[in-house]
Amino acid sequence: MNAQIAMLCSGKGGTGKSTVAVLLGAQLAARGQKVLLVELDSGLRSVDIIAGVYGRTVYDIEDVLCGRCAGDKAVVESPLYRGLSVISAPYEGGDIQPAPLRALCGVMRPYFDVILLDTAAGMGAPFRAAASAAQRALLVLTPDPVALRDGRIVADRLIEGGMPQAEVRLVLNRAARACFGKNAPVADLDECIDTVGIQLLAVIPESPALRRAGATGTPLPPASGAAVAGKALAARFCGERVALKFPV
Ligand SMILES: Nc1ncnc2c1ncn2[C@@H]1O[C@H](COP(=O)(O)OP(=O)(O)OP(=O)(O)O)[C@@H](O)[C@H]1O
Ligand SMILES: [Mg+2]
């Protein structure tokens, strides 16, 4: 194995990066891939709850990057999604540095098919460290003008930094019919794509089931709309041609 490394990012906070990271990781794992999800959001953990590893972690990403433990000691398998493993963020900690993160990814790559780096909002230390290690990026944005405009700034930064434009893709999250139209802040999907200036990879619907699963650390029902959309996201992430469905 020689894992490909993808980062999830956004300008605006709370767009669903961590939720989509677990959804994508779980669906890639369901396809038989070994997935490592690393949460880089120091002090604002959430992946541990969403992936069901809360209370099972002894070491976190800071312990690894500071050399307090070997990388494998911090890897915890999700009890909810077989094939998905997690390295949690610390409850508090310093800035994530690019060189140690790249070194960790280098150590982990032989053992996984995909490494997902879940960053914090904005373009601070977690973003810069992830951008230095990742080959591709998913911008997880909600269909509102602020998230989309900030997303464009982030996409431009990644592309200026040397990431090929085709590897920077949009995942539109929390999409609902009411988000679009003449009287809504955004007219349609095309406007989202044009505002951010990158290709669309997937649309994830607004989903009470996804929110509930994340909040309670329980598995997402496989028949839910979000799970179906997550499956399509994973397929497209793997380069398969799957029609985009919206509304799903
Ligand atoms: N598709 C969705 N449908 C319904 N709720 C969602 C969806 N995606 C995310 N949420 C909810 O939105 C909130 C924020 O999600 P999440 O923590 O994943 O965002 P984030 O971008 O990782 O935030 P941060 O910038 O703080 O890291 C959570 O309550 C989550 O359950
Ligand atoms: Mg998050």
Side-chain angles (χ1 to χ4, degrees):
M1 282 185 255
N2 191 18
Q4 54 168 311
I5 305 169
M7 64 190 281
L8 292 96
C9 53
S10 69
K12 189 171 174 284
T15 57
K17 295 174 292 299
S18 301
T19 302
V20 170
V22 174
L23 178 66
L24 173 60
Q27 293 293 340
L28 288 170
R31 294 169 61 92
Q33 305 219 6
K34 277 199 79 183
V35 182
L36 175 63
L37 169 52
V38 185
E39 187 174 29
L40 301 176
D41 202 346
S42 290
L44 291 167
R45 264 184 177 194
S46 57
V47 164
D48 60 339
I49 296 176
I50 306 171
V53 303
Y54 177 78
R56 295 176 184 235
T57 54
V58 178
Y59 297 105
D60 58 47
I61 183 70
E62 192 169 70
D63 294 319
V64 179
L65 299 186
C66 294
R68 285 194 287 271
C69 74
D72 60 333
K73 289 271 186 294
V75 176
V76 180
E77 282 186 36
S78 166
L80 309 180
Y81 306 108
R82 195 187 163 86
L84 173 64
S85 298
V86 171
I87 297 183
S88 294
Y91 284 113
E92 53 184 61
D95 282 348
I96 304 281
Q97 297 300 324
L101 182 66
R102 280 199 305 274
L104 171 68
C105 289
V107 169
M108 291 296 169
R109 277 185 89 178
Y111 303 101
F112 294 93
D113 297 298
V114 179
I115 298 175
L116 299 174
L117 302 175
D118 177 28
T119 68
M123 293 185 289
F127 170 84
R128 291 194 299 272
S132 83
Q135 299 147 324
R136 53 196 293 198
L138 303 185
L139 266 91
V140 180
L141 305 177
T142 45
D144 65 86
V146 173
L148 297 169
R149 187 198 55 202
D150 290 358
R152 175 159 207 135
I153 297 168
V154 173
D156 287 349
R157 174 73 67 88
L158 288 167
I159 294 162
E160 279 159 23
M163 197 175 280
Q165 176 144 11
E167 302 297 347
V168 183
R169 304 289 294 269
L170 171 62
V171 176
L172 201 65
N173 186 32
R174 305 197 77 163
R177 253 183 225 279
C179 302
F180 302 103
K182 259 199 208 138
N183 300 319
V186 180
D188 50 24
L189 279 183
D190 283 348
E191 187 183 329
C192 298
I193 297 165
D194 290 348
T195 305
V196 190
I198 54 175
Q199 268 183 282
L200 183 66
L201 184 65
V203 180
I204 309 295
E206 172 70 29
S207 161
L210 188 59
R211 190 173 53 243
R212 203 171 328 113
T216 54
T218 49
L220 181 65
S224 61
V228 173
K231 198 171 170 190
L233 163 63
R236 290 169 67 93
F237 182 89
C238 295
E240 277 176 28
R241 283 174 171 270
V242 177
L244 267 181
K245 277 198 206 138
F246 178 74
V248 280

